[in-house]
Amino acid sequence: MFPTPIEKTSRSWQLTYQSLLPLALIMWLLPLIAVAIFSIKPAVDFTQGNYWGMPSSFELFANYGQVFTNSDMPRYMLNSVLITVPTVIGAVALSCLAGFALGIYKFKSNIWIFFMFVAGNFVPFQILMVPVRDLTLDMGLYNTKTGLVLFHIAFQTGFCTLFMRNFIRALPYELIEAARVEGIAEWKIFWYVVIPLMKPAIAALSVLIFTFIWNDYFWAVVLTQGPESQPVTAGITSFNSQFRAAYHLMSAGSIVAALPPVLMFFLMQKHFIAGLTLGAVK
């Protein structure tokens, strides 16, 4: 039913696995390596068709300098921060409250409300493109960071609630019963008993949602336009002009845009892994 651990397989298969693993890792990293190489090439390499060869000259500081000084990349990065951080706070806060209600209280239609949260995760975002865009226009939220934050919170709360509800259900219910016996109010039970136990889950969920929202391209293109509100994922395309594409600057901008989620993961790696594995074993 479960795969055999590699250390319990034959020696020949272990050697095959150890030799294939680096090749698989290189293939997985190859697109990122290509973008990193493109980001230090001069523009003349692309006009002369030198796509995969060694750079004719290394333009590391020139390319990355142009990204920050001769473009709106700093503005796009700031927009991404102003969109991602409030979304993470809002989605995680709402999911903690909804997860507590659905995981602790036993009331009629509890399971049906939970199914509604789960079902929302299976709705393809593409079919919501036109109605959501029309709704933002009617509400005056089109091409605003506020509109993008609100809709990101609405779309992410379903997954976050699923995550939090299942985590809270695994907590010792005896702690909550003991607090109720002592006469503690429900909001104090949530704040002083449940929230401290949810810190690993909150950290793991924050990293996931931060990555999802920062890397979002679909809604960034559908609901915003221009440097005043577009996040960095959509702003990278500004390096393309009508007759020419600055691939070296696009690659440098892509590397810059990918750094915050990577740094976020490594800074929160300990809490992220603890949140995903807590409760996996008894």
Side-chain angles (χ1 to χ4, degrees), residues 18-174:
Q18 293 171 1
S19 59
L20 291 177
L21 186 60
L23 295 177
L25 180 61
I26 292 174
M27 291 181 62
W28 183 70
L29 291 175
L30 193 59
L32 183 60
I33 295 173
V35 172
I37 294 176
F38 287 175
S39 68
I40 62 175
K41 284 187 173 185
V44 67
D45 279 8
F46 298 95
T47 59
Q48 295 178 354
N50 181 21
Y51 300 117
W52 304 106
M54 291 297 294
S56 58
S57 62
F58 291 91
E59 304 292 338
L60 173 65
F61 297 104
N63 290 346
Y64 284 89
Q66 289 188 58
V67 165
F68 284 102
T69 59
N70 296 335
S71 71
D72 291 317
M73 180 61 71
R75 180 70 177 273
Y76 290 127
M77 294 285 288
L78 179 61
N79 290 343
S80 288
V81 173
L82 296 178
I83 291 170
T84 304
V85 173
T87 300
V88 172
I89 295 174
V92 172
L94 287 176
S95 64
C96 287
L97 294 170
F100 177 76
L102 295 174
I104 298 299
Y105 299 118
K106 298 178 176 62
F107 56 91
K108 190 176 181 180
S109 302
N110 180 303
I111 193 66
W112 293 108
I113 296 175
F114 176 64
F115 282 162
M116 291 178 61
F117 279 101
V118 175
N121 296 317
F122 295 98
V123 177
F125 288 153
Q126 290 78 4
I127 68 175
L128 300 175
M129 178 177 65
V130 175
V132 167
R133 182 181 181 277
D134 292 343
L135 182 60
T136 57
L137 288 171
D138 294 338
M139 298 177 62
L141 295 175
Y142 181 74
N143 196 31
T144 64
K145 293 186 285 290
T146 302
L148 202 55
V149 168
L150 292 176
F151 281 97
H152 274 314
I153 291 175
F155 293 142
Q156 295 297 329
T157 299
F159 168 75
C160 295
T161 300
L162 169 65
F163 189 95
M164 286 300 184
R165 183 260 189 188
N166 292 337
F167 188 90
I168 292 174
R169 293 269 292 185
L171 297 177
Y173 189 72
E174 293 77 9

Side-chain angles (χ1 to χ4, degrees), residues 181-253:
V181 169
E182 295 294 332
I184 300 177
E186 293 295 317
W187 71 268
K188 289 187 177 181
I189 294 176
F190 171 74
W191 187 256
Y192 293 107
V193 178
V194 176
I195 287 295
L197 297 176
M198 293 171 59
K199 287 182 179 179
I202 293 174
L205 189 59
S206 298
V207 173
L208 286 175
I209 300 303
F210 184 93
T211 304
F212 293 161
I213 303 305
W214 185 278
N215 293 333
D216 173 71
Y217 178 77
F218 179 80
W219 291 114
V221 174
V222 172
L223 300 181
T224 60
Q225 57 180 2
E228 65 276 1
S229 57
Q230 273 192 334
V232 67
T233 49
I236 292 175
T237 58
S238 64
F239 292 113
N240 290 334
S241 61
Q242 183 177 0
F243 302 104
R244 179 175 176 270
Y247 293 111
H248 58 307
L249 298 182
M250 288 183 63
S251 299

